[in-house]
C-alpha cells in the first residue's frame, strides 16, 4: 500500500530544497487514503513544524512518519513484540 500514491508525482516535480510550509501551500489539499480513514498531505506535514527538505524523498519519508494513528491497521497489536519500556501493553489472554 502506498499512502502517498497521489502525492508522489507532485512532490517529485517540485523544486528542492523546500520547506514543509511551501509543500503544504502547494500540495496540502491532496488526500492520503489511510487504512482507517483519510487525512490531507498538509495535515501530515503540518505536524513537523518548520522543516526543510533537501529532496522529494526526504519529504516523502517525513510524511510517512507524520501520518496520524489512522494509518495504523490495528492499534496496539503485536503477537511478537514485548511492550516498550514504560508501557504495560495489552492484557494477556489465555486460551
Amino acid at each position: 500500500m502506498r499512502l502517498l500514491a497521489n502525492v508522489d508525482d507532485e512532490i517529485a516535480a517540485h523544486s528542492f530544497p523546500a520547506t514543509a510550509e511551501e509543500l503544504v501551500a502547494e500540495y496540502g489539499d491532496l488526500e492520503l487514503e489511510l487504512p482507517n480513514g483519510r487525512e490531507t498531505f498538509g495535515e501530515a506535514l503540518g505536524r513537523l513544524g518548520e522543516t526543510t527538505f533537501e529532496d522529494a524523498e526526504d519529504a516523502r519519508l517525513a510524511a510517512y512518519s507524520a501520518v496520524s494513528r489512522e494509518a495504523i491497521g490495528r492499534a496496539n497489536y503485536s503477537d511478537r513484540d514485548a511492550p516498550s519500556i514504560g508501557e504495560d501493553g495489552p492484557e494477556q489472554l489465555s486460551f
Side-chain angles (χ1 to χ4, degrees), residues 58-81:
D58 284 349
R60 188 177 301 111
L61 292 174
Y64 272 115
S65 70
V67 291
S68 69
R69 290 182 54 106
E70 301 303 316
I72 300 171
R74 197 166 142 193
N76 299 320
Y77 174 76
S78 175
D79 60 354
R80 294 181 181 90
D81 299 331

Side-chain angles (χ1 to χ4, degrees), residues 22-92:
E22 292 170 345
L23 294 177
V24 168
E26 188 74 24
Y27 313 109
D29 291 338
L30 295 175
E31 279 199 357
L32 308 177
E33 291 188 32
L34 308 176
N36 294 319
R38 295 172 186 240
E39 71 181 342
T40 65
F41 184 64
E43 290 170 328
L45 282 189
R47 294 183 184 100
L48 300 176
E50 295 181 27
T51 306
T52 299
F53 306 105
E54 295 302 316
D55 55 34
E57 184 66 11
D58 284 349
R60 188 177 301 111
L61 292 174
Y64 272 115
S65 70
V67 291
S68 69
R69 290 182 54 106
E70 301 303 316
I72 300 171
R74 197 166 142 193
N76 299 320
Y77 174 76
S78 175
D79 60 354
R80 294 181 181 90
D81 299 331
S84 299
I85 295 173
E87 292 183 347
D88 291 331
E91 186 176 323
Q92 297 294 318

